[in-house]
């Protein structure tokens, strides 16, 4: 055991040395350190030694000066105030050479270097409960670089290491001598390795021709870059989960080392400037600037580092022939594809052509009717193999993800898959059947969330599962930065764009597949009930079931087109995180079928292969064990033909097997061999359902890797095309809420721009479990992004390219952009709807003296008490790693905003549903969000402005093959190109207490000024119906009004049908 301990300690030292070398390379931006002296000099220097670039001033020193806390500059001000530096601000000391030579002017788009500051006073960070603690309590640091590195024990304190090992070996002299020799030898090897890594371990990136060549040193040179920014923690690396969080949280020892970024929040003296506490960027008093390598303006092109892609020969489980799997490049197939969705009430039929592998045009006809047919209808849905199509002339995709990878001629019909499953299941041994129904543990092979065993004799692959909806969760050491951190599901919901969501989901699927996975634990489809919900940012439905039912098939179709199983979650009524393992959601039938089931129902119709049951109880019984929920409703009424897996450790009894759960994750606890023998019939059905999903999606014919798939997990799936698509999706997800003529920005309007707010320079949190950030939600859905583009980086680079000067004092600026944020974390609901810090105090103060634009980043609804005082407001619901570039594209008009709110932003928190600890009764029924007659929103559901204006022509009833069709012409009447989302709400007569329901929408193609598009809104019988509890079915209404407009409150036309008074 002692020698085993020594081996583990040595392994830790090796890993620490590798991490330290990588940290040094990134922090210094140097790749030419060849000798030990330079390495140690690099370690001890507060500012990494590098050649002074044109315009950089040498010999500048730093000092700390106390900050006065007056009424205009509160110490607790959001951003980088006195609190962040323990009551001190760094001030540039005079430079003897400051005026000896003219300053070099930065090139267009350059990113300025900011002075590196090492505070000498304790820095405070908020703890998980929002209370302020010192750095000692949090384990955070603002010490010099060498104290921030993850030192291996051999290098941090060799003497202490030897003493500890001597004690552990009990004083055995011969062993001690051998140990000492081994330690010294390994120490020399580590030092040599360190020098080698510093000089050769991180090759300098090569700029891509169509993307920003973004060196890792951009962030090191941005002293404004804050460390791990979080709502609750200053440093979340290796965060240990609370007991309630432990279901999906890896062990702390498995945590991912944080990239070596500055954890210092910079503030700069402004000569009595009352706004200095929250300003970001270098001091504005010096005329000298330091330029980086030119950064191209982010015109739909992300700032990114150089990428690498990896290919590998992989053997399929069903044949001995080797198949060369493409790396991030989808295959094409020479077969025509016809997509017929069974529920989408809105868009007109469209015919487009796409070249196939044989270069012969293939016609794809999209005919949309209802996603969820009436109860009397029998529908056999076929999953989508192509993205939803828009009208002719729509913007072409940035990356071709329109064809599936490795799925042959398409999916097998469920009937054929079920027959194959029954045949194979009858031949399985007891052990083989058992291996299908239980997981191998978590974390499996140290970095898989969930797995099952392969059955080679029947070509049944292992199921390799990974989180989450917004991208591949990197659990392996060194894995962050090898996958794309995509916009959150709620940000994608803000696009109201099925085609875009299909493309993003397909790209996510390629990354999962490239990493060796074949099951995506997503999408999250729960409809928001309370705006405090801790996982609202993970849910694609927002606050509306119809919106979710339109977007869910697009996501499922995109992921499964790449040959993976999509997993709908969390079924059902997982609308809060408070007491999520024990809270009982009490829901009526009508509320369930009309408000919370439709997104799941639509995903089922799209062919989703798996469902994850939720932690909570439903009407007194745990969801993962409710026969009424899983057997009667999900597999019965809703017609689900795939398999149900438990959420991690969500099963509480053996009866979960006959009551509808088919697979226990992460490992066997209640599903044992004895359980399987007791419930033989249920065991057989569960195995058949799992096999049917495998055969339906042809996973038996897919190339696969052998667990643990080390080669695949070490590959880099983060490609320039994916980053470009991520930026495009984030930009389309931005919702412009208010604009008093200040946007889009230009040098003709404003000459000097200041960017304020701590969120402007926030880095992502790098952890395997813990707090989220302004870019990604926390917990199992967090996708850490070491190379996130901060708002400050994106905005300032684009401003310089437009000829706008960046200043660092509110009083010197013509316009101030204030960036604010909040975040959320799995297992906890949000304590407040306010943005973090004191921004609600600071924003009005800034707006009182200068025109101000507020940009907020949030995982759900927020309060905006300052909305009347600012010139413009825009929101992004956690936009992923390309957030800064997306903001820049929107602000400067490179991309006209077209996002719409998937929820209502309340004017006050009073009267909103709140989480409860033990029992939550959904007494409000359907009257949540905009459906409530008492809600007075600050910004209504469906709201979103553009840089142009649109005229919605008079709607006319049109003959069609649906229950009802309404046509109208949408015309761009403004001066910029843009897209509009036409929305249709139904109001039934007589009224049932619900003000209106979204029952149709259509997002136009990009219309040039003066251009028009004819839109047909199609309504299926289900869209005109409500659920009748007495008949246990849907009842179609004969009299109703159709309200057509640009939001739930901006109604332009009303069409009356039937006997409407």
């Amino acid at each position: 055991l002692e020698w085993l301990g020594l081996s583990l300690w040595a392994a830790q030292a090796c890993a620490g040395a590798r991490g330290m070398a990588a940290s040094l390379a990134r922090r210094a931006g140097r790749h030419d350190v060849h000798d030990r002296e330079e390495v140690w000099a690099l370690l001890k220097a507060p500012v990494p030694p590098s050649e002074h670039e044109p315009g950089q001033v040498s010999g500048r020193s730093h000092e700390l000066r106390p900050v006065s806390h007056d009424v205009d500059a509160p110490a607790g001000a959001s951003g980088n105030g006195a609190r962040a530096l323990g009551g001190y601000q760094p001030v540039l000391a005079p430079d003897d050479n400051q005026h000896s030579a003219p300053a070099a002017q930065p090139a267009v788009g350059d990113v300025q270097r900011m002075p590196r500051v090492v505070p000498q006073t304790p820095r405070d960070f908020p703890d998980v409960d929002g209370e302020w603690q010192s750095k000692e309590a949090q384990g955070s640091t603002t010490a010099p670089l060498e104290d921030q590195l993850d030192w291996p024990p051999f290098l941090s304190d060799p003497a202490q290491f030897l003493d500890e090992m001597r004690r552990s070996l009990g004083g055995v002299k011969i062993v001690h001598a051998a140990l000492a020799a081994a330690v010294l030898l390994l120490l020399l090897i580590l030092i040599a390795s360190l020098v080698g890594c510093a000089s050769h371990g991180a090759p300098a990136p090569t700029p891509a021709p169509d993307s920003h060549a973004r060196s890792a040193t951009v962030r090191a040179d941005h002293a404004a870059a804050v460390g791990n920014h979080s709502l609750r923690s200053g440093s979340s690396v290796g965060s240990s989960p609370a007991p309630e969080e432990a279901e999906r949280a890896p062990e702390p020892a498995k945590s991912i080392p944080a990239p070596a970024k500055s954890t210092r929040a910079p503030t700069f003296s402004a000569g009595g400037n009352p706004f200095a506490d929250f300003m970001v960027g270098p001091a504005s008093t010096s005329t000298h600037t330091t330029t980086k390598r030119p950064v191209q303006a982010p015109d739909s092109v992300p700032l990114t580092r150089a990428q690498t892609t990896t290919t590998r020969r992989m053997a399929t489980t069903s044949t001995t022939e080797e198949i060369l799997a493409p790396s991030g490049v989808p295959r094409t197939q020479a077969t025509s594809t016809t997509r017929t969705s069974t529920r989408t009430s809105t868009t007109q039929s469209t015919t487009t052509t796409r070249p196939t592998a044989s270069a012969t045009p293939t016609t794809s006809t999209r005919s949309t009717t209802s996603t969820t047919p009436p109860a009397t209808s029998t529908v056999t849905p076929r999953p989508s193999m192509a993205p939803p199509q828009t009208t002719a002339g729509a913007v072409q995709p940035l990356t071709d993800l329109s064809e599936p990878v490795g799925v042959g001629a398409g999916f097998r019909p469920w009937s054929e898959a079920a027959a194959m499953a029954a045949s194979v299941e009858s031949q399985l041994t007891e052990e083989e059947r058992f291996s299908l129904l239980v997981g191998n543990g978590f974390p499996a092979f140290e970095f898989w969330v969930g797995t099952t065993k392969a059955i080679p004799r029947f070509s049944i692959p292992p199921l390799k599962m990974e989180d989450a909806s917004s991208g591949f969760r990197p659990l392996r050491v060194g894995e962050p930065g090898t996958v794309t951190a995509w916009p959150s599901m709620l940000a994608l919901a803000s696009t109201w764009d099925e085609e875009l969501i299909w493309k993003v989901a397909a790209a996510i699927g390629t990354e999962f597949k490239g990493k060796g996975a074949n099951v995506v634990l997503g999408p999250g489809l729960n409809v928001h009930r309370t705006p405090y919900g801790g996982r609202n940012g993970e849910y694609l439905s927002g606050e509306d079931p119809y919106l979710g039912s339109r977007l869910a098939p697009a996501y499922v179709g995109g992921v499964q087109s790449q040959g993976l199983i999509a997993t709908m979650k969390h079924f059902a009524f997982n609308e809060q995180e408070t007491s999520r393992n024990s809270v009982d959601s009490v829901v009526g039938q009508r509320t369930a079928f009309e408000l919370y089931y439709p997104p799941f129902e639509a995903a089922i119709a799209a062919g989703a292969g798996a469902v994850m049951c939720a932690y909570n109880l439903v009407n007194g019984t745990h969801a993962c064990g409710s026969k009424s929920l899983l057997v009667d409703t999900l597999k019965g009424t809703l017609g689900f033909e795939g398999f149900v897996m438990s959420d991690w450790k969500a099963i509480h009894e053996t009866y979960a097997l006959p009551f509808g759960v088919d697979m226990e994750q992460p490992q066997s606890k209640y599903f044992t061999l004895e359980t399987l023998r007791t419930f033989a019939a249920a065991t057989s059905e569960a195995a058949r359902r799992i096999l049917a999903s495998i055969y339906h999606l042809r996973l038996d014919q897919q190339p696969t890797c052998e667990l643990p798939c080390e080669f695949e997990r070490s590959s880099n799936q983060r490609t320039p095309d994916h980053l470009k698509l991520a930026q495009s999706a984030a930009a389309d997800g931005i919702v412009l809420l208010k604009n008093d003529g200040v946007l889009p920005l230009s040098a003709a309007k404003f000459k000097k721009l200041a960017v304020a707010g701590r969120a402007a320079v926030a880095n992502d949190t790098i952890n395997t479990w813990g707090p989220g950030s302004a870019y990604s939600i926390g917990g199992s859905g967090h996708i850490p992004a070491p190379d996130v583009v901060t708002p400050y980086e994106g905005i300032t680079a684009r401003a310089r390219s437009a000829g706008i000067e960046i200043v660092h004092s509110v009083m010197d600026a013509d316009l101030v952009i204030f960036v604010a944020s909040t975040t959320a974390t799995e297992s906890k609901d949000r304590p407040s709807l306010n943005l973090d810090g004191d921004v609600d105090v600071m924003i009005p103060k800034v707006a009182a003296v200068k025109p101000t634009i507020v940009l907020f980043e949030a995982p759900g609804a927020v309060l905006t008490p300052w909305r009347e005082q600012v010139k413009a407001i825009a929101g992004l619901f956690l936009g992923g790693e390309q957030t800064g570039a997306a903001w820049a594209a929107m602000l400067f008009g490179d991309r006209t905003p077209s996002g719409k709110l998937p929820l209502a932003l309340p004017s006050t928190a009073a009267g909103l549903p709140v989480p409860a600890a033990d029992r939550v009764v959904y007494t409000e029924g359907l009257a949540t969000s905009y459906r409530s007659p008492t809600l007075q929103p600050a910004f209504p559901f469906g709201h979103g402005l553009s840089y142009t204006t649109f005229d919605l022509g008079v709607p006319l009833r049109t003959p069609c093959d649906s229950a009802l069709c309404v046509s109208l012409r949408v015309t761009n009447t403004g001066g910029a190109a843009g897209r509009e989302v036409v929305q249709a709400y139904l109001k039934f007569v007589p009224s049932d207490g619900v003000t209106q329901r979204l029952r149709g929408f259509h997002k136009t193609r990009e219309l040039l000024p003066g251009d028009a598009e004819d839109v047909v809104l199609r309504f299926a019988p289900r869209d005109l119906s409500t659920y009748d509890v007495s008949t246990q079915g849907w009842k179609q209404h004969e009299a109703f009004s159709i309200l057509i407009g640009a939001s739930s409150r901006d109604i332009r036309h009303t069409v009356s049908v039937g006997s409407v008074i």
Side-chain angles (χ1 to χ4, degrees), residues 634-832:
L634 178 66
K635 298 178 179 180
T637 305
L638 302 184
F640 179 56
E641 299 183 79
F643 70 94
V644 176
M645 70 171 73
S646 72
D647 206 335
W648 271 228
K649 299 184 181 179
I651 292 180
H652 295 268
E653 55 196 355
T654 58
Y655 278 94
L657 179 59
F659 286 176
V661 181
D662 302 309
M663 178 185 292
E664 182 176 16
Q665 287 291 346
Q667 59 201 13
S668 171
K669 180 178 181 181
Y670 294 97
F671 285 17
T672 63
L673 281 172
E674 182 60 32
T675 303
L676 270 58
R677 295 187 187 109
T678 302
F679 303 109
T683 298
S684 178
E685 181 185 352
R688 292 184 183 196
R689 282 182 169 272
I690 296 168
L691 290 172
S693 290
I694 291 173
Y695 291 135
H696 170 60
L697 293 165
R698 298 186 183 272
L699 265 61
D700 57 313
Q701 297 178 343
Q702 296 294 314
T704 189
C705 57
E706 183 178 347
L707 286 167
C709 302
E710 289 271 5
F711 181 88
E712 287 73 16
R713 290 299 294 261
S714 63
S715 67
N716 186 1
Q717 300 297 319
R718 184 172 173 269
T719 68
D721 279 348
H722 284 185
L723 292 175
K724 192 180 297 185
L725 181 59
Q727 180 195 328
S728 177
D732 282 358
I734 293 173
V735 182
L736 181 60
L737 302 172
K738 177 180 180 179
N739 182 18
D740 287 348
V742 294
L743 294 175
L745 300 179
S746 69
K749 294 179 181 179
F750 305 102
K751 301 296 184 183
K752 296 180 179 181
L753 174 68
V755 180
R758 182 179 181 182
V761 292
N763 292 327
D764 200 2
T765 51
I766 310 299
N767 56 38
T768 56
W769 179 276
S773 68
Y775 312 103
S776 176
I777 199 168
S780 62
H782 186 61
I783 314 300
D787 294 293
V788 67
V789 182
T790 68
Y792 182 86
E793 291 171 344
I795 294 169
T796 57
R798 181 63 179 87
R800 292 190 184 98
S801 72
I804 298 176
E805 180 184 354
I806 301 299
V807 298
H808 307 285
S809 167
V810 167
M811 306 311 295
D812 293 338
D814 299 326
L815 176 74
V816 177
I817 296 177
F818 200 114
V819 187
S821 73
T822 188
T823 190
T825 299
E826 179 181 349
S827 82
K828 302 183 184 78
D829 287 317
R830 293 168 59 191
S832 166

Side-chain angles (χ1 to χ4, degrees), residues 11 52 183 193 462 530 565 733 805 810 815 842 854 901 910 946 1048:
H52 291 296
V183 168
S193 300
T530 168
I565 294 175
E805 180 184 354
V810 167
L815 176 74
M842 296 308 301
V854 175
L901 284 175
S946 176
S1048 59

Side-chain angles (χ1 to χ4, degrees), residues 373-500:
T376 56
S377 302
T378 302
V379 178
T380 305
R382 181 178 177 82
S384 171
M385 296 296 294
Q389 300 296 311
T390 58
T391 57
V395 178
Q396 293 301 310
L398 293 169
T399 180
D400 183 11
L401 294 168
S402 58
E403 296 294 347
V405 176
V407 293
F411 303 151
R412 293 186 180 99
W414 278 110
S415 57
E416 179 183 340
M420 295 176 64
S423 174
V424 170
E425 187 276 330
S426 64
Q427 304 175 58
L428 296 178
T429 66
E430 185 179 66
E431 289 75 15
E432 289 172 333
R433 192 175 290 108
F434 177 71
S435 70
L436 281 175
L437 272 61
V438 298
N440 291 326
F442 172 68
F445 305 99
E446 297 188 354
F447 44 74
W448 283 101
V449 165
T451 59
T452 63
K453 294 180 180 178
I455 306 177
R457 69 190 186 102
F458 289 108
S459 298
I460 300 172
L463 295 183
K464 294 163 287 184
M465 311 168 191
E466 197 59 79
D467 297 309
S469 303
S470 297
F472 188 91
R473 182 186 180 191
L475 291 176
R476 193 173 186 267
V477 173
E479 204 169 19
T482 65
V483 293
T484 306
W486 298 89
S488 73
M489 291 294 97
L490 190 58
L492 292 179
S494 302
T495 69
W496 293 52
D497 191 335
E498 298 158 278
E499 184 175 359
L500 175 64

Side-chain angles (χ1 to χ4, degrees), residues 944-995:
L945 303 177
S946 176
Y947 292 153
T948 188
T949 56
F950 297 94
D951 175 68
L952 306 186
V954 177
L956 301 172
R957 292 188 61 174
T958 304
C960 65
D961 54 0
S962 296
L964 177 67
C965 291
V966 174
S967 64
L968 70 156
R969 173 164 292 188
V970 180
T971 305
N972 183 345
T973 56
R979 304 178 70 186
E980 178 63 295
V981 178
V982 182
Q983 303 166 40
Y985 298 84
L986 263 63
K987 188 173 184 178
F988 293 116
V989 177
S991 175
D992 56 358
V994 179
T995 57

